[in-house]
Structures are given as C-alpha cells and as structure tokens.
PDB file of all heavy atoms in Angstrom:
ATOM      1  N   ALA A1306       5.828  10.794 -29.226  1.00  0.00           N
ATOM      2  CA  ALA A1306       4.752  11.211 -28.329  1.00  0.00           C
ATOM      3  C   ALA A1306       5.329  11.787 -27.041  1.00  0.00           C
ATOM      4  O   ALA A1306       6.474  11.520 -26.670  1.00  0.00           O
ATOM      5  CB  ALA A1306       3.835  10.031 -28.013  1.00  0.00           C
ATOM      6  N   GLN A1307       4.518  12.577 -26.357  1.00  0.00           N
ATOM      7  CA  GLN A1307       4.898  13.131 -25.060  1.00  0.00           C
ATOM      8  C   GLN A1307       4.216  12.359 -23.936  1.00  0.00           C
ATOM      9  O   GLN A1307       3.253  11.620 -24.152  1.00  0.00           O
ATOM     10  CB  GLN A1307       4.511  14.602 -24.983  1.00  0.00           C
ATOM     11  CG  GLN A1307       5.197  15.478 -26.014  1.00  0.00           C
ATOM     12  CD  GLN A1307       4.819  16.948 -25.870  1.00  0.00           C
ATOM     13  OE1 GLN A1307       4.597  17.438 -24.774  1.00  0.00           O
ATOM     14  NE2 GLN A1307       4.739  17.637 -26.998  1.00  0.00           N
ATOM     15  N   LEU A1308       4.726  12.555 -22.715  1.00  0.00           N
ATOM     16  CA  LEU A1308       4.105  12.003 -21.520  1.00  0.00           C
ATOM     17  C   LEU A1308       3.665  13.151 -20.631  1.00  0.00           C
ATOM     18  O   LEU A1308       4.083  14.292 -20.831  1.00  0.00           O
ATOM     19  CB  LEU A1308       5.074  11.075 -20.774  1.00  0.00           C
ATOM     20  CG  LEU A1308       5.436   9.784 -21.532  1.00  0.00           C
ATOM     21  CD1 LEU A1308       6.737   9.960 -22.276  1.00  0.00           C
ATOM     22  CD2 LEU A1308       5.526   8.601 -20.576  1.00  0.00           C
ATOM     23  N   SER A1309       2.836  12.820 -19.635  1.00  0.00           N
ATOM     24  CA  SER A1309       2.342  13.849 -18.723  1.00  0.00           C
ATOM     25  C   SER A1309       2.002  13.212 -17.384  1.00  0.00           C
ATOM     26  O   SER A1309       1.576  12.055 -17.327  1.00  0.00           O
ATOM     27  CB  SER A1309       1.099  14.522 -19.316  1.00  0.00           C
ATOM     28  OG  SER A1309       0.646  15.574 -18.492  1.00  0.00           O
ATOM     29  N   GLY A1310       2.214  13.994 -16.312  1.00  0.00           N
ATOM     30  CA  GLY A1310       1.824  13.535 -14.983  1.00  0.00           C
ATOM     31  C   GLY A1310       2.719  12.489 -14.366  1.00  0.00           C
ATOM     32  O   GLY A1310       2.343  11.857 -13.377  1.00  0.00           O
ATOM     33  N   MET A1311       3.929  12.308 -14.870  1.00  0.00           N
ATOM     34  CA  MET A1311       4.784  11.232 -14.380  1.00  0.00           C
ATOM     35  C   MET A1311       5.339  11.490 -12.985  1.00  0.00           C
ATOM     36  O   MET A1311       5.933  10.590 -12.381  1.00  0.00           O
ATOM     37  CB  MET A1311       5.918  10.979 -15.368  1.00  0.00           C
ATOM     38  CG  MET A1311       5.474  10.399 -16.694  1.00  0.00           C
ATOM     39  SD  MET A1311       4.760   8.734 -16.557  1.00  0.00           S
ATOM     40  CE  MET A1311       6.245   7.755 -16.291  1.00  0.00           C
ATOM     41  N   GLU A1312       5.154  12.690 -12.458  1.00  0.00           N
ATOM     42  CA  GLU A1312       5.577  12.942 -11.079  1.00  0.00           C
ATOM     43  C   GLU A1312       4.625  12.330 -10.060  1.00  0.00           C
ATOM     44  O   GLU A1312       4.978  12.148  -8.885  1.00  0.00           O
ATOM     45  CB  GLU A1312       5.708  14.448 -10.820  1.00  0.00           C
ATOM     46  CG  GLU A1312       4.425  15.230 -10.847  1.00  0.00           C
ATOM     47  CD  GLU A1312       4.035  15.749 -12.218  1.00  0.00           C
ATOM     48  OE1 GLU A1312       4.323  15.056 -13.227  1.00  0.00           O
ATOM     49  OE2 GLU A1312       3.445  16.835 -12.298  1.00  0.00           O
ATOM     50  N   PHE A1313       3.418  11.986 -10.484  1.00  0.00           N
ATOM     51  CA  PHE A1313       2.406  11.494  -9.555  1.00  0.00           C
ATOM     52  C   PHE A1313       2.460   9.965  -9.470  1.00  0.00           C
ATOM     53  O   PHE A1313       1.609   9.262 -10.017  1.00  0.00           O
ATOM     54  CB  PHE A1313       1.026  11.982  -9.986  1.00  0.00           C
ATOM     55  CG  PHE A1313       0.892  13.478  -9.970  1.00  0.00           C
ATOM     56  CD1 PHE A1313       0.753  14.188 -11.152  1.00  0.00           C
ATOM     57  CD2 PHE A1313       0.925  14.177  -8.774  1.00  0.00           C
ATOM     58  CE1 PHE A1313       0.627  15.570 -11.147  1.00  0.00           C
ATOM     59  CE2 PHE A1313       0.805  15.563  -8.756  1.00  0.00           C
ATOM     60  CZ  PHE A1313       0.660  16.264  -9.940  1.00  0.00           C
ATOM     61  N   THR A1314       3.472   9.456  -8.786  1.00  0.00           N
ATOM     62  CA  THR A1314       3.677   8.010  -8.683  1.00  0.00           C
ATOM     63  C   THR A1314       3.695   7.518  -7.242  1.00  0.00           C
ATOM     64  O   THR A1314       3.886   6.328  -7.013  1.00  0.00           O
ATOM     65  CB  THR A1314       5.008   7.607  -9.337  1.00  0.00           C
ATOM     66  OG1 THR A1314       6.074   8.348  -8.715  1.00  0.00           O
ATOM     67  CG2 THR A1314       5.010   7.882 -10.829  1.00  0.00           C
ATOM     68  N   ALA A1315       3.531   8.406  -6.261  1.00  0.00           N
ATOM     69  CA  ALA A1315       3.712   8.034  -4.850  1.00  0.00           C
ATOM     70  C   ALA A1315       2.454   7.393  -4.287  1.00  0.00           C
ATOM     71  O   ALA A1315       1.793   7.930  -3.397  1.00  0.00           O
ATOM     72  CB  ALA A1315       4.114   9.265  -4.037  1.00  0.00           C
ATOM     73  N   VAL A1316       2.100   6.217  -4.813  1.00  0.00           N
ATOM     74  CA  VAL A1316       0.924   5.486  -4.367  1.00  0.00           C
ATOM     75  C   VAL A1316       1.374   4.109  -3.877  1.00  0.00           C
ATOM     76  O   VAL A1316       2.125   3.412  -4.562  1.00  0.00           O
ATOM     77  CB  VAL A1316      -0.112   5.329  -5.495  1.00  0.00           C
ATOM     78  CG1 VAL A1316      -1.357   4.619  -4.981  1.00  0.00           C
ATOM     79  CG2 VAL A1316      -0.484   6.689  -6.066  1.00  0.00           C
ATOM     80  N   TYR A1317       0.919   3.747  -2.694  1.00  0.00           N
ATOM     81  CA  TYR A1317       1.299   2.469  -2.081  1.00  0.00           C
ATOM     82  C   TYR A1317       0.057   1.797  -1.525  1.00  0.00           C
ATOM     83  O   TYR A1317      -0.930   2.450  -1.185  1.00  0.00           O
ATOM     84  CB  TYR A1317       2.301   2.685  -0.938  1.00  0.00           C
ATOM     85  CG  TYR A1317       3.661   3.156  -1.392  1.00  0.00           C
ATOM     86  CD1 TYR A1317       3.870   4.480  -1.772  1.00  0.00           C
ATOM     87  CD2 TYR A1317       4.738   2.283  -1.455  1.00  0.00           C
ATOM     88  CE1 TYR A1317       5.110   4.916  -2.191  1.00  0.00           C
ATOM     89  CE2 TYR A1317       5.984   2.712  -1.868  1.00  0.00           C
ATOM     90  CZ  TYR A1317       6.165   4.028  -2.238  1.00  0.00           C
ATOM     91  OH  TYR A1317       7.403   4.461  -2.663  1.00  0.00           O
ATOM     92  N   CYS A1318       0.114   0.471  -1.415  1.00  0.00           N
ATOM     93  CA  CYS A1318      -0.967  -0.261  -0.761  1.00  0.00           C
ATOM     94  C   CYS A1318      -0.380  -1.156   0.317  1.00  0.00           C
ATOM     95  O   CYS A1318       0.751  -1.635   0.212  1.00  0.00           O
ATOM     96  CB  CYS A1318      -1.759  -1.082  -1.769  1.00  0.00           C
ATOM     97  SG  CYS A1318      -0.786  -2.295  -2.648  1.00  0.00           S
ATOM     98  N   VAL A1319      -1.161  -1.379   1.370  1.00  0.00           N
ATOM     99  CA  VAL A1319      -0.732  -2.223   2.472  1.00  0.00           C
ATOM    100  C   VAL A1319      -0.852  -3.684   2.060  1.00  0.00           C
ATOM    101  O   VAL A1319      -1.793  -4.072   1.360  1.00  0.00           O
ATOM    102  CB  VAL A1319      -1.593  -1.966   3.720  1.00  0.00           C
ATOM    103  CG1 VAL A1319      -0.991  -2.638   4.939  1.00  0.00           C
ATOM    104  CG2 VAL A1319      -1.778  -0.484   3.954  1.00  0.00           C
ATOM    105  N   ALA A1320       0.088  -4.498   2.532  1.00  0.00           N
ATOM    106  CA  ALA A1320       0.049  -5.925   2.234  1.00  0.00           C
ATOM    107  C   ALA A1320       0.720  -6.688   3.370  1.00  0.00           C
ATOM    108  O   ALA A1320       1.602  -6.146   4.050  1.00  0.00           O
ATOM    109  CB  ALA A1320       0.771  -6.227   0.924  1.00  0.00           C
ATOM    110  N   PRO A1321       0.342  -7.928   3.587  1.00  0.00           N
ATOM    111  CA  PRO A1321       1.114  -8.758   4.518  1.00  0.00           C
ATOM    112  C   PRO A1321       2.555  -8.870   4.017  1.00  0.00           C
ATOM    113  O   PRO A1321       2.791  -9.036   2.820  1.00  0.00           O
ATOM    114  CB  PRO A1321       0.399 -10.115   4.460  1.00  0.00           C
ATOM    115  CG  PRO A1321      -0.973  -9.811   3.954  1.00  0.00           C
ATOM    116  CD  PRO A1321      -0.814  -8.653   3.021  1.00  0.00           C
ATOM    117  N   ALA A1322       3.508  -8.739   4.911  1.00  0.00           N
ATOM    118  CA  ALA A1322       4.917  -8.777   4.516  1.00  0.00           C
ATOM    119  C   ALA A1322       5.243 -10.084   3.810  1.00  0.00           C
ATOM    120  O   ALA A1322       4.698 -11.142   4.126  1.00  0.00           O
ATOM    121  CB  ALA A1322       5.804  -8.609   5.742  1.00  0.00           C
ATOM    122  N   ARG A1323       6.136  -9.978   2.832  1.00  0.00           N
ATOM    123  CA  ARG A1323       6.640 -11.126   2.063  1.00  0.00           C
ATOM    124  C   ARG A1323       5.529 -11.836   1.286  1.00  0.00           C
ATOM    125  O   ARG A1323       5.546 -13.040   1.093  1.00  0.00           O
ATOM    126  CB  ARG A1323       7.386 -12.116   2.974  1.00  0.00           C
ATOM    127  CG  ARG A1323       8.685 -11.537   3.545  1.00  0.00           C
ATOM    128  CD  ARG A1323       9.320 -12.422   4.586  1.00  0.00           C
ATOM    129  NE  ARG A1323       8.507 -12.446   5.806  1.00  0.00           N
ATOM    130  CZ  ARG A1323       8.511 -11.484   6.727  1.00  0.00           C
ATOM    131  NH1 ARG A1323       9.293 -10.429   6.582  1.00  0.00           N
ATOM    132  NH2 ARG A1323       7.753 -11.578   7.797  1.00  0.00           N
ATOM    133  N   THR A1324       4.538 -11.068   0.829  1.00  0.00           N
ATOM    134  CA  THR A1324       3.516 -11.591  -0.071  1.00  0.00           C
ATOM    135  C   THR A1324       3.291 -10.570  -1.180  1.00  0.00           C
ATOM    136  O   THR A1324       3.712  -9.413  -1.076  1.00  0.00           O
ATOM    137  CB  THR A1324       2.161 -11.832   0.630  1.00  0.00           C
ATOM    138  OG1 THR A1324       1.481 -10.578   0.813  1.00  0.00           O
ATOM    139  CG2 THR A1324       2.345 -12.506   1.974  1.00  0.00           C
ATOM    140  N   THR A1325       2.585 -10.998  -2.218  1.00  0.00           N
ATOM    141  CA  THR A1325       2.179 -10.084  -3.288  1.00  0.00           C
ATOM    142  C   THR A1325       0.721  -9.675  -3.134  1.00  0.00           C
ATOM    143  O   THR A1325       0.183  -8.997  -4.007  1.00  0.00           O
ATOM    144  CB  THR A1325       2.352 -10.743  -4.667  1.00  0.00           C
ATOM    145  OG1 THR A1325       1.522 -11.914  -4.727  1.00  0.00           O
ATOM    146  CG2 THR A1325       3.793 -11.143  -4.914  1.00  0.00           C
ATOM    147  N   MET A1326       0.075 -10.092  -2.059  1.00  0.00           N
ATOM    148  CA  MET A1326      -1.360  -9.878  -1.909  1.00  0.00           C
ATOM    149  C   MET A1326      -1.659  -8.412  -1.608  1.00  0.00           C
ATOM    150  O   MET A1326      -1.280  -7.901  -0.558  1.00  0.00           O
ATOM    151  CB  MET A1326      -1.908 -10.764  -0.789  1.00  0.00           C
ATOM    152  CG  MET A1326      -3.405 -10.650  -0.619  1.00  0.00           C
ATOM    153  SD  MET A1326      -4.332 -10.819  -2.161  1.00  0.00           S
ATOM    154  CE  MET A1326      -3.800 -12.429  -2.698  1.00  0.00           C
ATOM    155  N   THR A1327      -2.305  -7.755  -2.538  1.00  0.00           N
ATOM    156  CA  THR A1327      -2.501  -6.310  -2.425  1.00  0.00           C
ATOM    157  C   THR A1327      -3.974  -5.909  -2.477  1.00  0.00           C
ATOM    158  O   THR A1327      -4.283  -4.787  -2.815  1.00  0.00           O
ATOM    159  CB  THR A1327      -1.740  -5.592  -3.555  1.00  0.00           C
ATOM    160  OG1 THR A1327      -2.111  -6.174  -4.810  1.00  0.00           O
ATOM    161  CG2 THR A1327      -0.253  -5.717  -3.358  1.00  0.00           C
ATOM    162  N   ARG A1328      -4.851  -6.800  -2.123  1.00  0.00           N
ATOM    163  CA  ARG A1328      -6.257  -6.426  -2.005  1.00  0.00           C
ATOM    164  C   ARG A1328      -6.439  -5.860  -0.596  1.00  0.00           C
ATOM    165  O   ARG A1328      -6.505  -6.604   0.373  1.00  0.00           O
ATOM    166  CB  ARG A1328      -7.161  -7.642  -2.229  1.00  0.00           C
ATOM    167  CG  ARG A1328      -6.893  -8.400  -3.520  1.00  0.00           C
ATOM    168  CD  ARG A1328      -7.508  -7.727  -4.731  1.00  0.00           C
ATOM    169  NE  ARG A1328      -6.870  -6.498  -5.137  1.00  0.00           N
ATOM    170  CZ  ARG A1328      -5.758  -6.436  -5.858  1.00  0.00           C
ATOM    171  NH1 ARG A1328      -5.128  -7.508  -6.226  1.00  0.00           N
ATOM    172  NH2 ARG A1328      -5.259  -5.253  -6.216  1.00  0.00           N
ATOM    173  N   SER A1329      -6.511  -4.560  -0.471  1.00  0.00           N
ATOM    174  CA  SER A1329      -6.314  -3.917   0.828  1.00  0.00           C
ATOM    175  C   SER A1329      -7.562  -3.322   1.448  1.00  0.00           C
ATOM    176  O   SER A1329      -7.470  -2.575   2.422  1.00  0.00           O
ATOM    177  CB  SER A1329      -5.243  -2.829   0.700  1.00  0.00           C
ATOM    178  OG  SER A1329      -5.585  -1.912  -0.312  1.00  0.00           O
ATOM    179  N   MET A1330      -8.755  -3.628   0.941  1.00  0.00           N
ATOM    180  CA  MET A1330      -9.974  -3.072   1.521  1.00  0.00           C
ATOM    181  C   MET A1330     -10.077  -3.380   3.013  1.00  0.00           C
ATOM    182  O   MET A1330     -10.453  -2.520   3.822  1.00  0.00           O
ATOM    183  CB  MET A1330     -11.199  -3.619   0.778  1.00  0.00           C
ATOM    184  CG  MET A1330     -12.543  -3.146   1.318  1.00  0.00           C
ATOM    185  SD  MET A1330     -13.214  -4.190   2.654  1.00  0.00           S
ATOM    186  CE  MET A1330     -13.592  -5.689   1.755  1.00  0.00           C
ATOM    187  N   SER A1331      -9.722  -4.584   3.423  1.00  0.00           N
ATOM    188  CA  SER A1331      -9.862  -4.979   4.825  1.00  0.00           C
ATOM    189  C   SER A1331      -8.975  -4.178   5.756  1.00  0.00           C
ATOM    190  O   SER A1331      -9.247  -4.094   6.966  1.00  0.00           O
ATOM    191  CB  SER A1331      -9.562  -6.471   4.977  1.00  0.00           C
ATOM    192  OG  SER A1331     -10.544  -7.253   4.317  1.00  0.00           O
ATOM    193  N   PHE A1332      -7.904  -3.570   5.233  1.00  0.00           N
ATOM    194  CA  PHE A1332      -7.005  -2.811   6.091  1.00  0.00           C
ATOM    195  C   PHE A1332      -7.633  -1.502   6.573  1.00  0.00           C
ATOM    196  O   PHE A1332      -7.045  -0.807   7.402  1.00  0.00           O
ATOM    197  CB  PHE A1332      -5.684  -2.553   5.374  1.00  0.00           C
ATOM    198  CG  PHE A1332      -4.793  -3.770   5.343  1.00  0.00           C
ATOM    199  CD1 PHE A1332      -4.744  -4.581   4.224  1.00  0.00           C
ATOM    200  CD2 PHE A1332      -4.030  -4.112   6.440  1.00  0.00           C
ATOM    201  CE1 PHE A1332      -3.947  -5.707   4.189  1.00  0.00           C
ATOM    202  CE2 PHE A1332      -3.223  -5.229   6.424  1.00  0.00           C
ATOM    203  CZ  PHE A1332      -3.176  -6.046   5.299  1.00  0.00           C
ATOM    204  N   ALA A1333      -8.798  -1.164   6.082  1.00  0.00           N
ATOM    205  CA  ALA A1333      -9.513  -0.019   6.645  1.00  0.00           C
ATOM    206  C   ALA A1333      -9.868  -0.259   8.108  1.00  0.00           C
ATOM    207  O   ALA A1333     -10.117   0.693   8.861  1.00  0.00           O
ATOM    208  CB  ALA A1333     -10.790   0.244   5.844  1.00  0.00           C
ATOM    209  N   PHE A1334      -9.865  -1.524   8.539  1.00  0.00           N
ATOM    210  CA  PHE A1334     -10.216  -1.876   9.911  1.00  0.00           C
ATOM    211  C   PHE A1334      -9.006  -2.354  10.712  1.00  0.00           C
ATOM    212  O   PHE A1334      -9.159  -2.946  11.777  1.00  0.00           O
ATOM    213  CB  PHE A1334     -11.295  -2.967   9.905  1.00  0.00           C
ATOM    214  CG  PHE A1334     -12.486  -2.626   9.057  1.00  0.00           C
ATOM    215  CD1 PHE A1334     -12.639  -3.194   7.800  1.00  0.00           C
ATOM    216  CD2 PHE A1334     -13.427  -1.714   9.494  1.00  0.00           C
ATOM    217  CE1 PHE A1334     -13.727  -2.881   7.004  1.00  0.00           C
ATOM    218  CE2 PHE A1334     -14.521  -1.392   8.708  1.00  0.00           C
ATOM    219  CZ  PHE A1334     -14.666  -1.969   7.464  1.00  0.00           C
ATOM    220  N   ALA A1335      -7.803  -2.103  10.211  1.00  0.00           N
ATOM    221  CA  ALA A1335      -6.601  -2.613  10.871  1.00  0.00           C
ATOM    222  C   ALA A1335      -6.210  -1.757  12.067  1.00  0.00           C
ATOM    223  O   ALA A1335      -6.435  -0.545  12.105  1.00  0.00           O
ATOM    224  CB  ALA A1335      -5.446  -2.671   9.880  1.00  0.00           C
ATOM    225  N   THR A1336      -5.587  -2.414  13.044  1.00  0.00           N
ATOM    226  CA  THR A1336      -4.869  -1.744  14.123  1.00  0.00           C
ATOM    227  C   THR A1336      -3.401  -2.091  13.952  1.00  0.00           C
ATOM    228  O   THR A1336      -3.053  -3.256  13.714  1.00  0.00           O
ATOM    229  CB  THR A1336      -5.359  -2.227  15.494  1.00  0.00           C
ATOM    230  OG1 THR A1336      -6.765  -1.977  15.598  1.00  0.00           O
ATOM    231  CG2 THR A1336      -4.628  -1.512  16.624  1.00  0.00           C
ATOM    232  N   TYR A1337      -2.531  -1.078  14.070  1.00  0.00           N
ATOM    233  CA  TYR A1337      -1.108  -1.263  13.791  1.00  0.00           C
ATOM    234  C   TYR A1337      -0.303  -1.207  15.086  1.00  0.00           C
ATOM    235  O   TYR A1337      -0.643  -0.463  16.025  1.00  0.00           O
ATOM    236  CB  TYR A1337      -0.623  -0.188  12.816  1.00  0.00           C
ATOM    237  CG  TYR A1337      -1.288  -0.305  11.461  1.00  0.00           C
ATOM    238  CD1 TYR A1337      -2.452   0.408  11.170  1.00  0.00           C
ATOM    239  CD2 TYR A1337      -0.777  -1.152  10.486  1.00  0.00           C
ATOM    240  CE1 TYR A1337      -3.076   0.292   9.936  1.00  0.00           C
ATOM    241  CE2 TYR A1337      -1.396  -1.280   9.249  1.00  0.00           C
ATOM    242  CZ  TYR A1337      -2.544  -0.555   8.985  1.00  0.00           C
ATOM    243  OH  TYR A1337      -3.164  -0.684   7.778  1.00  0.00           O
ATOM    244  N   TYR A1338       0.785  -1.991  15.112  1.00  0.00           N
ATOM    245  CA  TYR A1338       1.609  -2.128  16.300  1.00  0.00           C
ATOM    246  C   TYR A1338       3.085  -2.053  15.918  1.00  0.00           C
ATOM    247  O   TYR A1338       3.477  -2.472  14.820  1.00  0.00           O
ATOM    248  CB  TYR A1338       1.371  -3.486  16.985  1.00  0.00           C
ATOM    249  CG  TYR A1338      -0.066  -3.796  17.289  1.00  0.00           C
ATOM    250  CD1 TYR A1338      -0.899  -4.372  16.316  1.00  0.00           C
ATOM    251  CD2 TYR A1338      -0.611  -3.538  18.541  1.00  0.00           C
ATOM    252  CE1 TYR A1338      -2.224  -4.670  16.584  1.00  0.00           C
ATOM    253  CE2 TYR A1338      -1.944  -3.837  18.829  1.00  0.00           C
ATOM    254  CZ  TYR A1338      -2.745  -4.396  17.847  1.00  0.00           C
ATOM    255  OH  TYR A1338      -4.053  -4.695  18.119  1.00  0.00           O
ATOM    256  N   ASP A1339       3.911  -1.557  16.852  1.00  0.00           N
ATOM    257  CA  ASP A1339       5.355  -1.627  16.635  1.00  0.00           C
ATOM    258  C   ASP A1339       5.856  -2.989  17.102  1.00  0.00           C
ATOM    259  O   ASP A1339       5.077  -3.850  17.549  1.00  0.00           O
ATOM    260  CB  ASP A1339       6.077  -0.470  17.326  1.00  0.00           C
ATOM    261  CG  ASP A1339       5.946  -0.484  18.838  1.00  0.00           C
ATOM    262  OD1 ASP A1339       5.561  -1.537  19.413  1.00  0.00           O
ATOM    263  OD2 ASP A1339       6.221   0.554  19.464  1.00  0.00           O
ATOM    264  N   GLU A1340       7.174  -3.186  17.031  1.00  0.00           N
ATOM    265  CA  GLU A1340       7.752  -4.495  17.340  1.00  0.00           C
ATOM    266  C   GLU A1340       7.547  -4.874  18.801  1.00  0.00           C
ATOM    267  O   GLU A1340       7.500  -6.059  19.146  1.00  0.00           O
ATOM    268  CB  GLU A1340       9.240  -4.483  17.001  1.00  0.00           C
ATOM    269  CG  GLU A1340       9.844  -5.857  16.843  1.00  0.00           C
ATOM    270  CD  GLU A1340      11.213  -5.829  16.185  1.00  0.00           C
ATOM    271  OE1 GLU A1340      11.786  -4.727  16.047  1.00  0.00           O
ATOM    272  OE2 GLU A1340      11.711  -6.905  15.803  1.00  0.00           O
ATOM    273  N   ALA A1341       7.394  -3.859  19.669  1.00  0.00           N
ATOM    274  CA  ALA A1341       7.175  -4.129  21.092  1.00  0.00           C
ATOM    275  C   ALA A1341       5.715  -4.365  21.428  1.00  0.00           C
ATOM    276  O   ALA A1341       5.371  -4.612  22.594  1.00  0.00           O
ATOM    277  CB  ALA A1341       7.710  -2.957  21.911  1.00  0.00           C
TER     278      ALA A1341
END
C-alpha cells in the first residue's frame, strides 16, 4: 500500500510542563509569561 500526506505532522498542543495532560481547550484563555 501507499501513504499520503505524511508531511503534515506539525501539530502541537499546549500542556502543563512535565505532564501528559493535553486537554487544551482552557488554554484559549491563557496569558503567557517569560521567566522574568
């Protein structure tokens, strides 16, 4: 069999660091900060 569309893999979801929790609907309301 052949494959198709394998170049389209650049999808990421936001998660709390060092967790597997990837339910990211709430991040639509997030504010982001740098280390400072």
